[in-house]
Amino acid sequence: MEDLLQDFLIEAGDLLSGVDNKLVDLERSPDDVGLLNDIFRGFHTIKGGAGFLNATELVNVCHLTENLFDKLRNSELSVTPETMDVILAATSAVRDMFGQLEHGTQPPAADPALIAALKAALAGEQVRLSGAAQAAPVAPMAIPKPGEPDWDVLYSAVTGKTVVQPKAAVAAPAQTLPAVQAPVESPEAIIKAAIGRRAIDKPGATGPSGRRDTERQRDNSIRVDTARLDQVLNLSGEIGLTKNRLNALRSDILSGRNDTETLHALDLAVSQLDLLVSDLQNAVMKTRMQPVGRLFQKYPRIARDLARNLGKDVELVLAGEETEIDKTMIEDLADPIIHLIRNAVDHGVEEPAGRIAAGKPEKSNVRLEARQEGDHIVILVADDGRGMDAERLRAKALAKGLITDEEASTMDERQSYNLVFLPGFSTVEQVSDVSGRGVGMDVVRTNIQKLNGSIEIRSQLGKGTTFIINLPLTLAILPVLLVRLGDQPFAVPLSMVREILPIDPANIQDVGAKATMVVRGEVLQILPLASLIGWPQERVPQYGVLMQAAELSFILAIDSFAGREDAVIKSLDDFRPKGVAGVTTLSNGQIVLILDMKELLTAAGDQRGVGRSALVRQAPKLTVA
């Protein structure tokens, strides 16, 4: 029963997301019979699954909505903005009920105002939902603590689920899901018992409901095309045959056959095994890849609701939905993209009157696009709104004390645009229930950097703004540059490396008591790797790696290089030293630490870097008498 419940929640959740997208399309094409039929079938399917789980209140909401679409598709009623508000409120209520089922409790009755509005719409009456019953998944009302994001609202906006925090039921038995040993008969009891067992048996549950366990189980599931699994199976079989061939050749060589023909056969078998293993790695990696459209499909509804709340006419255009990206990255991209879309709708595009005055169409477009470029994925969030004013951004940052006069005077346009990523920065004069607290865009950049990606802003005043996110194809394999301190190799992400250059002590100068070098007119600080990781400097660094982390460019001073590798990352879950992103194993079996440069720089803070004299002074070597 637990498996059936999870299957229902996953399938019905995907189905409801598809219904939401079709509802946004229906608002633009109210006479599209195909859309009306698809939405009708969606609610009908959800109702059937809810009936099996004995979720009576969920069945009631779906049944009323299904009847409404039956009349709409038979032309007995017509689609109006008010009717759409009621229908969208019903889909939000259905999502809330999914959340209750996920907690192991039967959903309570829907808002009476919503039920009354659905019945009035069925009767052909003019309906208007009260504020309490309207669906507004992207208009948070709760005020978070100062300097802290409203995580509950963000969760609701991204997932479409309400964070359930019942007051009267905190101590109620229905919210506590004990493990039930005796046989149970009702579907509700079966659901409670199943989720209760998971909350007790699996580590990491955050409370009696075990919500984190439920979400973790769902997040760990992945849909894989059977053709890809067939390819993995075929390659595994080929590797097995090659292994048998190698075993036979090994026996021949041990028995004394080491003629040219045997050695040539061994060479061919090893080459074939190398090719097959490489193909198998690529095939397994492809099983982790998922179309980014599964992430994109939730955003048209969110953009629609936010635009309606703000009195704007916005259409979210999706492109490149078939582009594939690592499953774990899809989950981590949800928060950054929702921030960017909210930002585009709230700050980027103008109100209809302002667009008309500027000679633009009344309806504004926000474009969400994904595409693959080489070994990277590029995601664009673009609007055709007012664009960014670099001078105004600098003035705002100065007024808030986020930058100094000297920094403002030396900033170019690109650096000025990047001010929006500073914590606490906002151009909104008055905090609203949508934005203005300055806790959004810094979260975006932080989350993108955690994925070993980067984000860039391009804007043209009066024409619009584009946010460009660059991401690696997968997090499981990371291109790295192997550097050495003495004989010990370390790995640094290749995406941060701009170039490699020799360090000549004659070219090192002190600026502010810190060793620096001038590279093509740019003064860059030299940061010895030894000082960043707390090792003694035993020799004068011979080489520098010009690296860029966010807006900081610097030269990482090292002793030598060991080459470039495509590292298979092994995470350190139980014990992870500060500044270490993971480990990898080289072809010779040596274990190498993959350094997290951003964390190392943050940990060093103002103490990072040394003066010229300390950098070029070689540590004395110890001698044994």
Side-chain angles (χ1 to χ4, degrees):
M1 192 68 184
E2 178 185 358
D3 292 339
L4 292 175
L5 170 63
Q6 290 304 314
D7 287 344
F8 169 75
L9 290 173
I10 293 172
E11 297 292 340
D14 289 345
L15 193 60
L16 192 61
S17 294
V19 165
D20 265 343
N21 282 352
K22 290 182 173 68
L23 287 172
V24 176
D25 294 337
L26 181 66
E27 199 165 27
R28 296 194 292 265
S29 307
D31 298 325
D32 192 322
V33 179
L35 285 175
L36 291 169
N37 285 328
D38 288 345
I39 298 170
F40 171 84
R41 284 192 293 269
F43 278 105
H44 182 75
T45 303
I46 295 172
K47 185 183 78 170
F52 176 76
L53 296 173
N54 201 29
T56 307
E57 299 301 335
L58 177 55
V59 170
N60 289 341
V61 175
C62 290
H63 182 66
L64 288 172
T65 313
E66 178 188 12
N67 289 343
L68 179 56
F69 271 97
D70 191 38
K71 289 193 173 186
L72 289 171
R73 67 177 184 163
N74 292 327
S75 301
E76 297 178 33
L77 296 173
S78 59
V79 177
T80 64
E82 292 74 24
T83 304
M84 288 299 303
D85 286 339
V86 174
I87 294 168
L88 290 169
T91 63
S92 293
V94 170
R95 274 203 182 83
D96 292 344
M97 292 180 176
F98 285 172
Q100 292 283 348
L101 283 173
E102 197 170 5
H103 281 68
T105 60
Q106 288 290 6
D111 190 333
L114 173 61
I115 300 298
L118 283 169
K119 291 180 178 178
L122 272 169
E125 300 173 6
Q126 185 74 16
V127 293
R128 181 174 293 277
L129 279 176
S130 63
Q134 283 187 9
V138 294
M141 299 303 295
I143 303 298
K145 296 177 182 179
E148 179 180 318
D150 194 334
W151 299 111
D152 288 348
V153 169
L154 180 60
Y155 175 83
S156 300
V158 173
T159 65
K161 304 173 187 174
T162 300
V163 178
V164 182
Q165 296 175 334
K167 295 180 181 178
V170 168
Q175 295 298 321
T176 303
L177 305 175
V180 179
Q181 302 298 332
V184 288
E185 298 179 358
S186 70
E188 181 176 5
I190 293 173
I191 294 169
K192 286 184 180 181
I195 298 184
R197 284 194 299 273
R198 179 166 63 252
I200 293 173
D201 296 340
K202 293 189 177 182
T206 57
S209 69
R211 189 179 95 182
R212 184 179 295 176
D213 283 310
T214 306
E215 291 176 353
R216 185 177 299 160
Q217 178 174 343
R218 295 181 66 189
D219 289 344
N220 285 342
S221 63
I222 187 171
R223 296 181 181 181
V224 181
D225 190 340
T226 54
R228 291 185 174 178
L229 292 179
D230 290 341
Q231 185 183 11
V232 171
L233 185 61
N234 291 336
L235 287 169
S236 300
E238 293 288 338
I239 289 175
L241 294 174
T242 306
K243 183 198 73 171
N244 294 338
R245 175 61 173 155
L246 285 171
N247 285 334
L249 289 169
R250 175 178 177 271
S251 299
D252 290 344
I253 292 174
L254 290 176
S255 63
R257 289 186 56 185
N258 55 1
D259 56 278
T260 305
E261 183 179 350
T262 302
L263 295 178
H264 180 64
L266 176 64
D267 184 58
L268 288 177
V270 171
S271 298
Q272 184 179 11
L273 181 62
D274 181 64
L275 180 62
L276 288 172
V277 169
S278 177
D279 288 344
L280 180 62
Q281 284 180 333
N282 291 332
V284 172
M285 290 308 306
K286 286 182 179 179
T287 63
R288 294 168 53 103
M289 308 298 279
Q290 296 283 287
V292 77
R294 294 174 63 85
L295 172 68
F296 284 4
Q297 66 180 357
K298 68 182 70 173
Y299 295 125
R301 163 73 188 278
I302 292 174
R304 179 263 178 201
D305 286 350
L306 178 58
R308 188 166 173 81
N309 288 341
L310 297 173
K312 297 180 179 180
D313 190 0
V314 178
E315 179 179 354
L316 181 65
V317 181
L318 304 180
E321 297 170 81
E322 70 285 350
T323 303
E324 291 189 331
I325 193 170
D326 194 298
K327 168 69 162 54
T328 56
M329 296 178 70
I330 286 182
E331 295 167 1
D332 293 335
L333 275 174
D335 289 1
I337 293 180
I338 189 64
H339 273 300
L340 293 176
I341 291 177
R342 286 164 58 96
N343 215 55
V345 175
D346 188 22
H347 300 300
V349 301
E350 311 94 332
E351 292 76 10
R355 292 182 63 85
I356 293 173
K360 297 181 178 180
E362 185 175 349
K363 175 179 286 188
S364 54
N365 285 320
V366 175
R367 182 177 179 85
L368 177 58
E369 178 183 353
R371 63 174 181 263
Q372 182 176 344
E373 293 184 355
D375 60 348
H376 277 70
I377 296 293
V378 178
I379 296 178
L380 304 179
V381 180
D383 65 69
D384 60 351
R386 55 175 63 91
M388 289 187 178
D389 187 337
E391 186 174 343
R392 182 177 176 230
L393 293 174
R394 289 193 295 268
K396 198 70 177 180
L398 268 173
K400 288 181 173 286
L402 299 175
I403 59 174
T404 64
D405 290 330
E406 182 181 356
E407 290 172 331
S409 62
T410 58
M411 281 186 172
D412 57 20
E413 279 198 346
R414 181 181 63 86
Q415 293 170 323
S416 299
Y417 296 152
N418 288 333
L419 288 172
V420 301
F421 294 122
L422 293 177
F425 183 87
S426 177
T427 57
V428 178
E429 300 295 339
Q430 184 175 1
V431 174
S432 69
D433 58 357
V434 176
S435 61
R437 299 186 180 95
V439 294
M441 298 304 290
D442 63 315
V443 174
V444 170
R445 184 163 70 174
T446 299
N447 287 358
I448 295 299
Q449 289 174 347
K450 286 179 181 177
L451 297 174
N452 296 319
S454 62
I455 183 168
E456 178 187 354
I457 304 176
R458 295 177 185 172
S459 185
Q460 189 173 355
L461 196 59
K463 296 295 181 66
T465 301
T466 301
F467 289 86
I468 305 171
I469 300 173
N470 281 280
L471 297 165
L473 275 177
T474 178
L475 293 178
I477 296 179
L478 177 69
V480 295
L481 179 69
L482 296 177
V483 300
R484 289 187 184 274
L485 279 182
D487 295 328
Q488 177 63 47
F490 293 92
V492 296
L494 196 62
S495 59
M496 299 176 62
V497 176
R498 283 170 50 185
E499 64 178 291
I500 299 168
L501 41 87
I503 293 181
D504 185 352
N507 295 331
I508 300 175
Q509 300 293 331
D510 270 336
V511 176
K514 304 292 184 183
T516 62
M517 279 179 58
V518 178
V519 180
R520 287 184 293 280
E522 186 178 5
V523 179
L524 298 173
Q525 185 178 357
I526 301 175
L527 302 179
L529 178 57
S531 66
L532 288 179
I533 64 176
W535 281 24
Q537 183 179 317
E538 297 182 349
R539 65 188 72 180
V540 179
Q542 299 296 308
Y543 297 95
V545 182
L546 180 50
M547 308 189 73
Q548 183 164 4
E551 292 305 301
L552 175 65
S553 296
F554 63 96
I555 297 173
L556 183 69
I558 60 173
D559 293 339
S560 60
F561 296 95
R564 177 197 180 282
E565 289 270 347
D566 286 330
V568 179
I569 302 175
K570 305 294 183 183
S571 60
L572 300 172
D573 294 330
D574 298 329
F575 172 72
R576 188 177 79 86
K578 183 173 291 185
V580 177
V583 299
T584 187
T585 306
L586 301 182
S587 56
N588 60 4
Q590 186 176 13
I591 295 177
V592 176
L593 297 179
I594 301 174
L595 300 179
D596 185 335
M597 296 305 301
K598 303 179 185 73
E599 193 171 278
L600 284 176
L601 293 172
T602 302
D606 295 334
Q607 304 302 317
R608 64 192 181 208
V610 297
R612 180 186 185 279
S613 58
L615 183 67
V616 301
R617 183 180 67 245
Q618 185 170 346
K621 294 183 179 180
L622 299 178
T623 58
V624 180

